[in-house]
Amino acid sequence: MGNNLTRRNFLAGSAAAAALAGLAGCSTGSTPSTDDAANKKGNGYTETATDYGYTIVDNGDGKQLSYSPDSGLKLIEKDGYAFKDFEGTGELVPYEDWRLSAEERAEDLAGRLSIEQIAGLMCFSGHQSKVEDDSSVTDEQKQFLDGNVRAVLNAASAYPAFKQAAWANNMQAYVEASENKIPINFSSDPRNGKNCVDWPGNLALAATFDPEVAKRAGAGIAHDLRRMGISMFLGPQTDVASDPRWTRFSGTFGEDPALSRDTCKAFIDGMQSTTDDNGNDVGWGKDSVAAMVKHWPAEAPGEGGREGHKDGGKFAIYPGKNFEACMIPFVDGAFKLDGKTGTASSVMTSYTIAFDQDNEYGELVGSGFSKYKVTELLRDRFGFAGSACTDWAVLNDPGAGMATCWGLEDTSVWTPAKRASKSVSVGVDQMGGCNDPTLLVSAYNDMKEELGEDKANENFKNSAKRLLLSYFNTGIFEDPYIDVDATRSEVDKGDDATKEEALSDQVKGIVMLKNHGNVIKAGSESAKPKVYVPMRFSKSYRAAGFMGGWSETPSACELPLSDGTLKKYFDVVTDTLADTLTGPVNEKTGNATPTLDDLTRLTASDIADVDYVLVCAKAPSNADPRSSQDEDGNYVPLSLQYRPYTADSEYVRQTSIAGDPADGSKWAEHESAKGVEIENRSYYGRSSNITNEYQLDQILEAAALAKEAGKPCIVILDITQPMCVHEFESEVDAILVSMSGSTEAACRIVAGLDEPSGLLPMQMPKDMVDVEKQLEDISRDMECYTDVDGNTYDFAFGLNYSGQISDDRTKKYGVDPLTKLAD
């Protein structure tokens, strides 16, 4: 722990010497039953004050406690152990007894809470992205904490981990001093490399085709999150990425249901299970982070690849009738873990409306309002007993900032409170991005009026129990405070061996697509290749913001990696950027921006002595990838190629499958879509809007320069989803694909320090016509690109030094994709 100031001893019998022998960690043994707990006796406990205002209670072979003496919370001594007196009665009640199971404790506490307190539990705060210099609790935070909100989204990844830990401690002390002493369940979205060790992202994990790597990453991420006070992870993203254009492809485990299932299962096992000193899984414990898998039952089949954060992407479609396959990673993966925690703690519902003329997938509303998706599927058919949370901002009125209330947009009928009532009525327990518990109290009143007070109470208490399980499973009732010094050393500074392990796993996720003439081969640490790395120039462009509006991004010119990182592996030569730039002034920085005239490229004679040319390129980027609309609101195609693409082939839908009613009404007003005329969201005849087309010019220019100098050209592609490579493949000698920004890992392979072993967790399309041929809900249904060496870039393809990889992984997963759930 940090520098301890004082120590008080509460010892029983002859075990005093043992109890004084330092501060033990939290016991990670299995949770005893009620009978076992009643017979368990301790030998006294030790209290130790810390520099950070909280006190550690060592219970010997029992659970470690931490609390703030200034909060007024007292301890209860029973059977030689210390327990927290949350009730303030001096009597130990079941939920205070850490010897009981999480289920017993959650059941007891849920029965003690008022409706107002449960309403607070049913809110998940909006993004908390700022940490004050003194890590204090802000007035806004006090307001929602005073309203009993206890689930807080920590989105402050821009700050050092130790500052986030100090802030978490202050937040916990604030609620501990209140009447409602339920601790805060802090959560985080994925933040690989941001305050955490840089483990491979989801798509790169899938590219390893090795669930053990995913398990290791899950455990590593959980380690760092717990040391920032975070006990819930808003992930992993478990959607089958069945459409190659889908914006959130990179957050998934790829497009194959079986590979996604196995990778997801292993990742959650690593994240949720605490292990003992011998590496044995002991289930929930001090190192566990609860996983909230998303987005139930699957969000990826957006029409045309569009995404549900915006109105333009609010419809998911199933032209291949493959709805069931999209649920495989959830039902057969996240809900059926191999580890001792058994199942993912929670699910997050998808934004999208599953569109069908005959309402085959329930009423035409977002998943968080869907009785079919939550009550009939999640709860009844699949028996999921964990908590369910909506994705963020589904209660908000359209136009009120971020708002995703798809199907319930009519403000003359639907208020935020009515939407909350609708969501709770179908079995959802928590509202994402909601700081206002009065909306949930309104939902309770609606339920009481419709079902009666007894049933309304029962439903709310069941939600409270499901939500509280993760609090008890992760141990934050006992030990919510964080050693800030440990966070600084273990996370901010980090362990070199762990960083190397993470980098090694990143290498496993790099896929070598092409290696013409074996230009990439084994090398050595002592002989660095000399390489020309062109600077990456980006022209200014206009693109849509996260939730709307268009803005200008200024031009930029830089190396694709830091000079220090490149020099770890290569003797680098590069271009020259003028000291005085001549482009327009960047309004944010006040500095001039670069133009092409400011950049002096090397010539063939300049690179006569290099071993090869190394180009690092980003994949094509669409200007509005979420709703695929232009600035006038017209739908345009999402493209996977650099050059402009016009969607005018016979395979482009001239009439969209889904859309809002043409008369301006919303689908919640209609019993079904059958016979209702809908707006046409087709992009037929329109062209794509790619913001970084110049990336292709740089690849081709570098390839031409390399050919002139008689040198090989190697391309590292940083991609977030499948892309078309037909525009440049024949001009370059080698292609490596990095799927989580792991350009450094790819450099290790280029330098010959590691042999590539990654495999494509997706198909690479022949061209955009073949992208249009495939169906949004069907996996692996494209014709794939075949290169000049005769290699086809299909699912499970990858090269090593010997050629195309064929091993146990390709035999296991290189079969027809699953379409049905397991029996």
Side-chain angles (χ1 to χ4, degrees):
M1 301 300 300
N3 181 28
N4 298 318
L5 299 179
T6 61
R7 177 176 290 175
R8 293 184 293 157
N9 305 308
F10 299 81
L11 306 172
S14 61
L20 281 169
L23 295 178
C26 174
S27 169
T28 58
S30 58
T31 304
S33 68
T34 306
D35 291 340
D36 292 335
N39 294 323
K40 185 174 181 180
K41 304 294 181 183
N43 294 310
Y45 59 94
T46 302
E47 287 193 60
T48 306
T50 71
D51 285 340
Y52 298 105
Y54 66 92
T55 294
I56 293 293
V57 181
D58 174 17
N59 265 314
D61 64 345
K63 292 287 183 74
Q64 177 175 290
L65 313 182
S66 60
Y67 74 102
S68 168
D70 293 337
S71 72
L73 186 142
K74 305 297 182 184
L75 299 181
I76 298 170
E77 182 179 358
K78 186 175 178 63
D79 299 328
Y81 293 112
F83 304 85
K84 290 183 178 180
D85 188 9
F86 290 102
E87 292 289 300
T89 64
E91 298 293 327
L92 186 66
V93 300
Y95 84 86
E96 298 170 335
D97 190 343
W98 43 257
R99 298 170 298 179
L100 301 181
S101 70
E103 289 77 10
E104 290 170 299
R105 299 177 71 189
E107 177 78 34
D108 178 65
L109 179 54
R112 297 172 182 272
L113 298 177
S114 67
I115 293 302
E116 289 73 20
Q117 289 171 324
I118 294 174
L121 281 178
M122 295 174 76
C123 292
F124 215 126
S125 87
H127 295 64
Q128 301 301 302
S129 57
K130 188 177 188 302
V131 176
E132 301 295 325
D133 290 340
D134 60 355
S135 299
S136 61
V137 185
T138 68
D139 290 341
E140 178 202 0
Q141 290 158 359
K142 289 177 181 178
Q143 182 175 0
F144 66 70
L145 294 175
D146 290 346
N148 299 306
V149 174
R150 291 296 182 270
V152 175
L153 175 50
N154 175 349
S157 60
Y159 294 86
F162 79 89
K163 282 195 173 184
Q164 296 177 60
W167 170 66
N169 283 347
N170 288 334
M171 293 276 279
Q172 296 288 13
Y174 183 81
V175 297
E176 192 175 88
S178 70
E179 181 179 348
N180 178 3
K181 298 183 183 300
I182 294 175
I184 297 168
N185 186 14
F186 285 102
S187 72
S188 174
D189 281 313
R191 50 165 73 184
N192 298 52
K194 297 178 181 178
N195 315 115
C196 295
V197 170
D198 196 9
W199 296 96
N202 285 5
L203 196 57
L205 289 175
T208 71
F209 278 61
D210 185 351
E212 285 303 309
V213 176
K215 186 174 183 179
R216 193 157 52 239
I221 293 168
H223 170 278
D224 290 353
L225 293 180
R226 283 307 298 255
R227 279 145 189 81
M228 287 182 272
I230 295 168
S231 49
M232 176 169 276
F233 183 69
L234 301 188
Q237 193 179 325
T238 310
D239 310 281
V240 176
S242 51
D243 189 280
R245 299 162 295 187
W246 191 48
T247 306
R248 302 190 74 177
F249 200 113
S250 66
T252 74
F253 296 119
E255 70 168 302
D256 184 73
L259 179 62
S260 298
R261 173 200 64 200
D262 295 348
T263 312
C264 170
K265 180 184 293 190
F267 183 91
I268 298 173
D269 272 335
M271 175 160 280
Q272 289 194 165
S273 282
T274 290
T275 56
D276 63 19
D277 292 339
N278 297 317
N280 299 312
D281 181 353
V282 297
W284 292 105
K286 64 183 178 64
D287 295 323
S288 299
V289 169
M292 180 184 285
V293 292
K294 59 188 185 184
H295 308 87
W296 174 261
E299 188 154 290
E303 185 163 17
R306 300 189 283 263
E307 195 274 322
H309 273 86
K310 289 186 178 181
D311 179 273
K314 68 184 176 185
F315 294 108
I317 59 171
Y318 299 87
K321 300 298 181 184
N322 210 35
F323 183 89
E324 183 168 312
C326 296
M327 295 189 290
I328 288 173
F330 292 93
V331 178
D332 295 334
F335 300 169
K336 296 177 182 176
L337 303 180
D338 294 328
K340 289 189 175 181
T341 64
T343 181
S345 175
S346 184
V347 298
M348 182 189 295
T349 58
S350 70
Y351 283 132
T352 48
I353 298 170
F355 192 90
D356 180 78
Q357 292 279 348
D358 298 319
N359 288 40
E360 182 178 349
Y361 313 114
E363 61 183 309
L364 299 176
V365 292
S367 297
F369 307 118
S370 171
K371 180 179 179 182
Y372 175 72
K373 294 178 181 177
V374 179
T375 305
E376 297 177 23
L377 290 180
L378 182 67
R379 300 297 189 198
D380 296 344
R381 180 178 171 187
F382 301 120
F384 183 73
S387 60
C389 180
T390 70
D391 208 333
W392 263 235
V394 301
L395 303 186
N396 294 352
D397 287 334
M402 182 177 174
T404 51
C405 53
W406 309 139
L408 307 182
E409 299 100 321
D410 186 349
T411 56
S412 67
V413 178
W414 295 99
T415 63
K418 289 295 183 184
R419 295 185 191 108
S421 180
K422 170 74 169 171
S423 186
V424 171
S425 73
V426 303
V428 175
D429 304 301
Q430 202 166 40
M431 307 295 113
C434 175
N435 292 359
D436 185 2
T438 64
L439 301 180
L440 279 303
V441 174
S442 293
Y444 169 80
N445 291 330
D446 286 346
M447 190 175 290
K448 183 170 67 172
E449 182 176 340
E450 181 179 349
L451 302 176
E453 186 172 7
D454 289 345
K455 186 62 177 175
N457 287 338
E458 178 186 343
N459 289 349
F460 261 57
K461 290 187 185 304
N462 284 340
S463 283
K465 179 181 177 181
R466 288 192 289 258
L467 292 166
L468 287 167
L469 278 174
S470 66
Y471 291 63
F472 289 117
N473 279 329
T474 55
I476 59 173
F477 263 85
E478 278 64 61
D479 193 12
Y481 292 93
I482 309 301
D483 182 338
V484 178
D485 288 341
T487 303
R488 197 191 306 264
S489 63
E490 294 181 34
V491 183
D492 287 317
K493 181 180 179 182
D495 175 69
D496 289 340
T498 302
K499 291 177 183 178
E500 286 299 316
E501 185 177 42
L503 180 58
S504 176
D505 283 347
Q506 285 182 15
V507 171
K508 293 180 176 71
I510 302 296
V511 181
M512 184 159 70
L513 293 181
K514 184 178 182 179
N515 192 23
H516 184 74
N518 296 318
V519 296
I520 296 177
K521 52 187 178 295
S524 67
E525 295 276 1
S526 59
K528 291 182 180 179
K530 185 172 184 178
V531 302
Y532 165 47
V533 181
M535 296 188 79
R536 189 156 61 193
F537 180 80
S538 303
K539 288 184 176 181
S540 62
Y541 62 89
R542 286 183 63 76
F546 182 77
M547 285 306 300
W550 289 69
S551 60
E552 188 87 12
T553 297
S555 63
C557 188
E558 58 192 356
L559 282 169
L561 281 171
S562 70
D563 188 56
T565 299
L566 286 169
K567 287 180 178 177
K568 284 170 61 176
Y569 306 107
F570 310 113
D571 179 8
V572 180
V573 295
T574 189
D575 307 314
T576 303
L577 187 64
D579 292 333
T580 302
L581 303 180
T582 59
V585 172
N586 182 333
E587 293 182 0
K588 290 184 178 180
T589 66
N591 299 322
T593 56
T595 66
L596 277 174
D597 291 337
D598 299 328
L599 180 63
T600 303
R601 297 283 191 195
L602 296 188
T603 65
S605 60
D606 292 330
I607 64 170
D609 62 340
V610 304
D611 293 296
Y612 40 76
V613 174
L614 178 61
V615 182
C616 300
K618 292 184 178 180
S621 178
N622 289 273
D624 186 3
R626 294 188 178 273
S627 63
S628 68
Q629 292 170 279
D630 61 22
E631 291 194 65
D632 295 323
N634 299 309
Y635 286 92
V636 297
L638 292 173
S639 178
L640 303 180
Q641 67 180 41
Y642 290 109
R643 294 295 188 226
Y645 159 67
T646 299
D648 55 5
S649 76
E650 62 182 298
Y651 302 103
V652 180
R653 293 187 193 110
Q654 297 192 38
T655 301
S656 64
I657 290 176
D660 280 327
D663 63 5
S665 61
K666 300 302 177 184
W667 285 118
E669 303 168 42
H670 300 265
E671 292 185 5
S672 76
K674 200 163 190 176
V676 178
E677 182 183 357
I678 65 171
E679 62 171 330
N680 188 3
R681 296 187 169 200
S682 171
Y683 48 76
Y684 181 81
R686 297 196 180 98
S687 298
S688 61
N689 186 358
I690 297 297
T691 63
N692 63 340
E693 180 185 350
Y694 193 70
Q695 290 276 286
L696 176 60
D697 296 324
Q698 291 178 85
I699 294 172
L700 295 176
E701 289 167 6
L705 179 65
K707 189 172 293 186
E708 181 184 351
K711 305 296 179 181
C713 182
I714 299 172
V715 176
I716 296 174
L717 294 175
D718 286 332
I719 67 175
T720 57
Q721 61 200 105
M723 69 171 287
C724 297
V725 297
H726 68 273
E727 296 173 300
F728 62 87
E729 176 275 322
S730 63
E731 304 302 313
V732 303
D733 298 282
I735 301 173
L736 291 171
V737 168
S738 163
M739 281 167 274
S740 61
S742 303
T743 311
E744 180 179 354
C747 287
R748 290 189 59 85
I749 292 175
V750 173
L753 303 181
D754 297 292
E755 183 172 9
S757 62
L759 303 168
L760 284 175
M762 57 198 178
Q763 296 180 314
M764 298 288 265
K766 177 175 173 287
D767 53 34
M768 281 304 299
V769 172
D770 282 286
V771 172
E772 297 289 2
K773 287 182 184 179
Q774 61 89 41
L775 300 179
E776 285 89 341
D777 61 326
I778 301 290
S779 298
R780 296 167 49 192
D781 61 338
M782 287 191 294
E783 182 178 350
C784 299
Y785 180 77
T786 299
D787 69 14
V788 295
D789 292 330
N791 290 315
T792 300
Y793 299 169
D794 204 346
F795 173 79
F797 171 79
L799 299 174
N800 58 21
Y801 294 151
S802 301
Q804 184 170 347
I805 297 170
S806 178
D807 56 19
D808 290 342
R809 299 174 300 161
T810 59
K811 291 174 184 176
K812 179 177 181 179
Y813 294 107
V815 296
D816 290 340
L818 297 174
T819 58
K820 299 294 181 184
L821 293 161
D823 294 334

